């Protein structure tokens, strides 16, 4: 095998891992850990293991997404987004299956370690073990299987649940060993921003998805309504954080997340005024950065508060 071929294959694997999407998993754990710190329950070992587990699950979802879309014919040369390893023919289906199995194993090891370190009673251990298995199943069946839910418009709901409620509330519970109702607002905000990232991805691929039977919510809504939906997601996330601040926090430092609003609103203005799928390509990374900045600033303000 030539050096050029080796480099190309390594690059193909890196592209399939989609490192630019990993902040979505990281920010949810950061937000949950900041909430734990705010209530005096922060635990470094639990936070780090939660971070590792969330990252492994995100990687699993990314690899499964590549495998599912290519095998179902959704990722074609007409797709606007970047071509991945399987599309380029540098990664075979068998190799991707092996990678998926390895990632599932690593996710299980990380998740079990997290449960052992964090859980104090058998009921919590069983509950989080079942939630972990559900998260693995959801990561795979988004695009893989006879009836993948990403192909029937349920991807947005899944992201809200797993990148918002489950990740943030789960991270908080594993450190505090209790559930607090006031954590729902930040968890919802985190989830809505992650859904906005998915929506931009689906707006970018709306034409190829429609042609290949991948009926994402953007396809079902149509380009114009999907852009209005994007506005609801972003404004809803900001509203959740503002409501949390007004209800539970004092001091100006807890308004730090508002520093991200100009970036979010500029992004939203550009999305609403660009009706082309091609125009959404640079907006994807922009939305990831905006979501990361918003959650990190909120978390900093929460800890300092």
């Amino acid at each position: 095998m030539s050096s050029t071929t080796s480099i190309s294959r390594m690059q193909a694997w890196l592209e399939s891992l989609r490192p630019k999407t990993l902040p979505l998993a990281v920010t949810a754990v950061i937000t949950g850990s900041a909430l734990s710190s705010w209530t005096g329950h922060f635990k470094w070992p639990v936070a780090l293991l939660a971070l590792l587990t969330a990252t492994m699950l995100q990687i699993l979802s990314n690899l499964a997404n590549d495998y599912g879309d290519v095998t179902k014919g959704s990722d074609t040369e007409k797709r606007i987004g970047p071509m991945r390893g399987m599309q380029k023919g540098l990664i075979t289906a068998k190799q991707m299956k092996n990678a998926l199995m390895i990632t599932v194993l690593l996710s299980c090891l990380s998740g079990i370690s997290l449960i052992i370190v964090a859980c104090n009673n058998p009921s919590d251990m069983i509950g989080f073990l079942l939630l972990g298995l559900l998260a693995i199943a959801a990561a795979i069946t988004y695009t893989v299987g006879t009836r993948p839910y990403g192909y029937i418009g349920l991807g947005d709901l899944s992201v809200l649940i797993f990148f918002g409620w489950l990740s943030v509330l789960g991270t908080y519970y594993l450190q505090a060993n209790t559930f607090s109702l006031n954590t729902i607002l930040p968890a919802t905000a985190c989830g809505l921003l992650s859904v906005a990232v998915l929506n931009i991805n689906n707006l970018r691929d709306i034409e190829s998805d429609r042609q290949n039977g991948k009926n994402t919510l953007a396809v079902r809504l149509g380009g114009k309504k999907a852009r209005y939906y994007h506005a609801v997601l972003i404004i809803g996330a900001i509203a959740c954080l503002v409501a949390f601040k007004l209800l539970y926090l004092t001091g100006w430092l807890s308004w730090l997340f508002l520093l991200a609003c100009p970036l979010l609103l500029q992004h939203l203005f550009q999305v609403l005024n660009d009706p082309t799928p091609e125009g959404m390509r640079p907006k994807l990374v922009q939305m990831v950065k905006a979501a990361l900045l918003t959650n990190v600033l909120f978390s900093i303000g929460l800890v300092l508060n």
Side-chain angles (χ1 to χ4, degrees), residues 4-124:
T4 302
T5 303
S6 298
I7 294 171
S8 298
R9 190 158 292 169
M10 288 175 60
Q11 182 64 31
W13 279 110
L14 184 62
E15 290 169 350
S16 292
L17 292 176
R18 305 185 192 186
K20 291 180 180 179
T21 66
L22 298 184
L24 297 180
V26 172
T27 54
V29 176
I30 289 174
T31 302
S33 296
L35 288 165
S36 301
S37 177
W38 175 58
T39 57
H41 297 102
F42 179 74
K43 299 173 183 175
W44 270 111
V46 177
L48 291 175
L49 282 170
L51 193 64
L52 177 61
T53 303
T55 302
M56 292 308 306
L57 288 171
Q58 176 68 64
I59 291 172
L60 176 62
S61 177
N62 291 343
L63 294 177
N65 189 278
D66 277 14
Y67 177 80
D69 281 344
V70 171
T71 55
K72 286 181 170 54
S74 299
D75 280 356
T76 65
E77 294 180 355
K78 295 181 179 180
R79 179 174 171 270
I80 296 173
M83 290 184 69
R84 310 293 181 187
M86 285 190 69
Q87 284 178 277
K88 294 177 179 178
L90 295 173
I91 301 173
T92 66
K94 183 179 179 180
Q95 288 171 332
M96 186 60 79
K97 281 184 178 180
N98 290 336
L100 286 170
M101 287 188 288
I102 292 171
T103 311
V104 168
L105 177 61
L106 293 175
S107 299
C108 289
L109 290 174
S110 177
I112 291 171
S113 299
L114 172 61
I115 291 170
I116 291 172
V117 170
C119 295
N120 296 324
N121 57 72
S123 60
D124 281 353

Side-chain angles (χ1 to χ4, degrees), residues 144-180:
V144 177
T146 57
R147 186 83 170 157
Y149 63 88
Y151 280 64
I152 57 175
L154 296 178
D156 297 59
L157 178 60
S158 175
V159 168
L160 176 60
I161 292 172
F162 287 98
F163 287 87
W165 298 331
L166 184 58
S167 293
V168 177
L169 301 181
T171 299
Y172 176 82
Y173 186 94
L174 286 168
Q175 295 180 61
N177 297 122
T178 187
F179 172 75
S180 180

Side-chain angles (χ1 to χ4, degrees), residues 21 24 192-202 230 233 284 287-288 291:
T21 66
L24 297 180
L192 290 175
L193 291 173
S194 294
V195 175
V197 173
L198 176 64
N199 189 54
I200 289 294
N201 180 80
N202 292 340
H230 196 69
L233 294 172
L284 183 60
M287 186 63 231
V288 172

Side-chain angles (χ1 to χ4, degrees), residues 89-275:
L90 295 173
I91 301 173
T92 66
K94 183 179 179 180
Q95 288 171 332
M96 186 60 79
K97 281 184 178 180
N98 290 336
L100 286 170
M101 287 188 288
I102 292 171
T103 311
V104 168
L105 177 61
L106 293 175
S107 299
C108 289
L109 290 174
S110 177
I112 291 171
S113 299
L114 172 61
I115 291 170
I116 291 172
V117 170
C119 295
N120 296 324
N121 57 72
S123 60
D124 281 353
M125 288 184 176
I126 294 172
F128 275 95
L129 181 61
L130 293 175
L131 286 173
L133 293 174
L134 180 62
I136 290 173
I140 294 173
T141 57
Y142 178 69
T143 58
V144 177
T146 57
R147 186 83 170 157
Y149 63 88
Y151 280 64
I152 57 175
L154 296 178
D156 297 59
L157 178 60
S158 175
V159 168
L160 176 60
I161 292 172
F162 287 98
F163 287 87
W165 298 331
L166 184 58
S167 293
V168 177
L169 301 181
T171 299
Y172 176 82
Y173 186 94
L174 286 168
Q175 295 180 61
N177 297 122
T178 187
F179 172 75
S180 180
L181 191 63
N182 56 22
T183 58
I184 292 178
L185 283 170
T188 302
C190 188
L192 290 175
L193 291 173
S194 294
V195 175
V197 173
L198 176 64
N199 189 54
I200 289 294
N201 180 80
N202 292 340
L203 276 169
R204 182 197 65 192
D205 298 336
I206 190 169
E207 295 301 332
S208 61
D209 285 346
R210 182 183 289 116
Q211 293 169 8
N212 291 285
K214 187 176 182 180
N215 295 314
T216 62
L217 189 56
V219 170
R220 291 180 179 275
L221 291 173
K224 186 175 182 179
K225 290 182 179 178
R227 283 167 172 78
Y228 293 152
Y229 166 64
H230 196 69
V232 171
L233 294 172
I234 290 176
I235 294 171
I238 296 172
C240 285
L241 296 180
V242 169
F244 181 85
K245 152 63 187 172
L246 295 176
L247 288 170
Y248 304 111
L249 302 177
T250 59
W252 66 270
L253 285 173
S254 52
W255 287 113
L256 274 177
F257 67 89
L258 290 180
L259 294 175
C261 285
L263 181 60
L264 285 169
L265 295 177
Q266 179 189 36
H267 164 84
L268 179 56
F269 179 81
Q270 291 173 351
V271 170
L272 290 173
N273 287 277
D274 189 340

